[in-house]
Amino acid sequence: MAVAYKQLISTAEKMETSLASHSPPSLILTQDELKKIAAYKAVEFVESGMVLGLGTGSTACHAVDRIGELLRQGKLKNVIGVPTSKKTHEQAQSLGIPLSDLDSHPVLDLAIDGADEVDTEMNLVKGRGGSLLREKMVEGACKKFVVIVDESKLVPYIGGSGLAMPVEVVPFCWKFTAKRLKDLFEDCGCVAKLRTCCEKINRKEQPFVTDNGNYIVDLYFKKDIGDLKIASDSILRLAGVVEHGMFLDMATTVIVAGELGVTIKNK
C-alpha cells in the first residue's frame, strides 16, 4: 500500500510558539527535543471530551505532560486517559489527568505513543520499554493511533535497526520458549536473549519483569524476516508466548520529527 507524506513543516518557520521555545532553529536539536516536537504536534489531535490511550516511553512521556498542561490551562476539558503501563498511570495521575480502563471504555477515540521502529508501511516495533502487551491492548481499541518518533526510528524493514524485537513470555520454562523463538527465525540469523534488569541478587542478573508478571525475550535479526503477518502468526502459535512487539497495520498517523522539520504520514 502506497503511503504519501501529507505535510512538511519547518521547525524554524511554522512550529507553534510552545514548540519553538524547546527547539531553537539556530541550534542542532537533541534527540529529546525532536521527541518533544513530535509529541506536541500529536497532542494537536486531542479534543475536549475524548477518551485517550496514553502511551509509555520517553517520547510518549512528553505527550502526557502536554495533555496535563493543557488540562490545567483549561484548553482541554473532560478528557479521560487509559494508561498503557503502571509508570504512565503514575505520571498521568500526578498531572491530574482523569483515568479509566478498557473495561469502562472499550472503544477509545485516540491513542498517542512512541515506537522503536517504523518501517515504510507504517508497521512498528514497540516494547523495548517493556509495556508491549498493554500498549497493544489499548492501542488496538482506538479509532485513531498516532505514533510519534524522531527520524532515527525509521527503518527499511522491521528489525532493520539491529535492535531488539521483544516478545513477552510466561516465566515457566522461558528457556524452552526462547529456543523455539530462535528456531523460528534461524534463517534470519536470529539471536534470542532474556531481558534482564539492573537488580542483582548474589551478583547474578535478574530477569526484567513486566507489569503483567511476565518475562521478555528480545529477538535480534541479521536479515529481513519477510512476511510480517506470517511471522506474527508463527510467534503467537507458540505456547508460552503472551504477545510480541510487532504492531502491524495499527498506526493511522506517524509523526516524525527531524532536524529539517516535522513530517506527518497518514494511511
Side-chain angles (χ1 to χ4, degrees):
M1 178 183 62
V3 182
Y5 284 98
K6 301 296 184 181
Q7 296 184 40
L8 183 61
I9 304 172
S10 167
T11 53
E13 297 176 354
K14 296 186 179 181
M15 276 293 166
E16 291 184 336
T17 302
S18 60
L19 295 184
S21 63
H22 296 286
S23 55
S26 60
L27 301 177
I28 296 175
L29 300 177
T30 67
Q31 187 177 36
D32 191 61
E33 285 170 330
L34 293 174
K35 290 177 179 180
K36 184 176 286 189
I37 289 170
Y40 277 39
K41 192 66 185 174
V43 174
E44 293 180 11
F45 287 80
V46 178
E47 299 176 3
S48 294
M50 279 187 167
V51 181
L52 303 173
L54 304 178
T56 297
S58 58
T59 309
C61 179
H62 290 306
V64 176
D65 281 343
R66 180 62 171 162
I67 291 166
E69 180 183 10
L70 293 175
L71 283 170
R72 288 194 304 275
Q73 294 172 350
K75 295 179 180 179
L76 285 177
K77 297 179 180 178
N78 302 318
V79 166
I80 297 174
V82 177
T84 54
S85 67
K86 292 179 180 178
K87 185 175 182 179
T88 300
H89 185 282
E90 292 170 359
Q91 179 194 4
Q93 202 168 45
S94 73
L95 295 168
I97 300 174
L99 298 178
S100 188
D101 56 33
L102 291 176
D103 291 332
S104 300
H105 295 88
V107 179
L108 281 63
D109 296 298
L110 173 70
I112 299 174
D113 205 355
D116 301 305
E117 290 185 0
V118 181
D119 76 3
T120 56
E121 300 298 321
M122 293 171 59
N123 296 308
L124 317 172
V125 168
K126 291 179 50 57
R128 289 178 190 157
S131 302
L132 61 148
L133 175 59
R134 296 190 187 192
E135 287 173 338
K136 191 171 283 190
M137 290 176 68
V138 170
E139 289 148 13
C142 293
K143 296 176 185 176
K144 294 182 180 180
F145 177 24
V146 179
V147 177
I148 47 180
V149 295
D150 66 87
E151 59 191 354
S152 70
K153 303 300 173 63
L154 303 180
V155 295
Y157 57 87
I158 290 299
S161 69
L163 301 176
M165 197 287 282
V167 180
E168 188 161 343
V169 302
V170 297
F172 175 74
C173 293
W174 69 263
K175 290 180 182 179
F176 171 78
T177 306
K179 184 179 185 306
R180 296 187 75 191
L181 287 166
K182 178 180 178 294
D183 290 346
L184 270 181
F185 301 102
E186 187 175 8
D187 291 344
C188 302
C190 179
V191 175
K193 295 182 179 180
L194 179 70
R195 186 178 300 184
T196 57
C197 63
C198 297
E199 180 185 1
K200 291 186 178 182
I201 298 178
N202 296 327
R203 299 183 179 179
K204 184 178 180 181
E205 290 184 329
Q206 299 302 302
F208 173 89
V209 179
T210 70
D211 286 349
N212 316 299
N214 296 316
Y215 292 172
I216 287 182
V217 173
D218 287 321
L219 303 183
Y220 299 85
F221 306 112
K222 294 182 179 178
K223 300 178 182 177
D224 188 342
I225 61 175
D227 190 306
L228 298 178
K229 291 185 178 179
I230 291 175
S232 170
D233 290 345
S234 298
I235 292 171
L236 294 175
R237 278 200 297 267
L238 295 180
V241 167
V242 178
E243 189 53 85
H244 60 70
M246 290 187 291
F247 285 50
L248 309 181
D249 297 323
M250 290 180 62
T252 56
T253 299
V254 175
I255 299 177
V256 183
E259 292 185 5
L260 299 180
V262 172
T263 303
I264 300 178
K265 193 175 181 181
N266 293 312
K267 277 199 170 176

